[in-house]
Amino acid sequence: MYLWIKALHIVFVASWFAGLFYLPRIYVNLAQESNPAVVERLIGMGRRLYRFTTILMVPALLLGLWLWLGFGIKGGWLHAKLALVILVIGYHHACGSLLKKFERGVNTRSHKWFRVFNEVPVLLLLAIVILVVVKPF
C-alpha cells in the first residue's frame, strides 16, 4: 500500500507544480497586455488554472500527510521538507491573491517581477526533491 500512496502523491505533486509553473506565466502576459479582450481571456485562463491547481493541491497534501503519519516517515530532512511545503502552499495562495488583483484591475507589478516570481516554485521543487531523495540530515 505504501508504494501506491507514494506514487499517487508524486503524481498529484507533479500536477500541482505544473499549474504553479504555468500560472505566473499567464500573469507575465497579463502584465504586458492592454487589449481588454485579451486581458479577459487571460484572466479566464488564470481562474480556471488556479481552480484546477487548487483541486490538485488537496490530494497531494492529503497523500503526503498519509505517508508521514500513516507510515511513520521521519527525520530532519522531513522537517525541512514540511517547512518548504508550507512555503509552496503560501506561494499557491499568493498566486490566488495576484489573480484577484488582475480581476479588479489593480495589479501594480511589472512583467519582469512576474518573470522572477515564476522561478520560485522551481527552486522550491528543487529543494524538496533534493531533501526527499538525498536526505542530507
Side-chain angles (χ1 to χ4, degrees):
M1 186 70 164
Y2 169 76
L3 293 176
W4 282 100
I5 302 304
K6 187 176 177 180
L8 289 172
H9 176 63
I10 291 168
V11 167
F12 280 103
V13 167
S15 301
W16 176 26
F17 268 89
L20 293 179
F21 292 156
Y22 190 64
L23 191 57
R25 291 299 309 157
I26 293 173
Y27 298 165
V28 168
N29 293 322
L30 274 166
Q32 293 178 313
E33 190 57 59
S34 58
N35 181 329
V38 175
V39 167
E40 192 56 38
R41 186 172 339 117
L42 289 169
I43 288 173
M45 289 172 60
R47 275 189 205 121
R48 289 184 296 277
L49 182 57
Y50 183 73
R51 186 173 32 249
F52 187 62
T53 302
T54 301
I55 291 168
L56 293 167
M57 176 183 68
V58 173
L61 295 174
L62 291 175
L63 290 164
L65 195 61
W66 191 355
L67 286 169
W68 175 29
L69 300 175
F71 294 99
I73 297 172
K74 54 188 167 187
W77 66 271
L78 181 64
H79 295 102
K81 178 199 174 193
L82 292 174
L84 292 175
V85 168
I86 290 168
L87 290 176
V88 175
I89 294 167
Y91 182 88
H92 179 96
H93 289 293
C95 284
S97 176
L98 291 165
L99 179 59
K100 287 178 182 164
K101 287 183 179 182
F102 278 115
E103 290 172 337
R104 292 191 316 264
V106 297
N107 172 58
T108 58
R109 309 225 185 245
S110 72
H111 68 94
K112 291 179 184 177
W113 186 88
F114 285 107
R115 288 180 195 278
V116 174
F117 181 74
N118 190 42
E119 301 307 320
V120 172
V122 174
L123 298 174
L124 288 169
L125 182 61
L126 177 66
I128 289 169
V129 168
I130 289 170
L131 285 168
V132 171
V133 173
V134 178
K135 295 178 177 60
F137 47 87

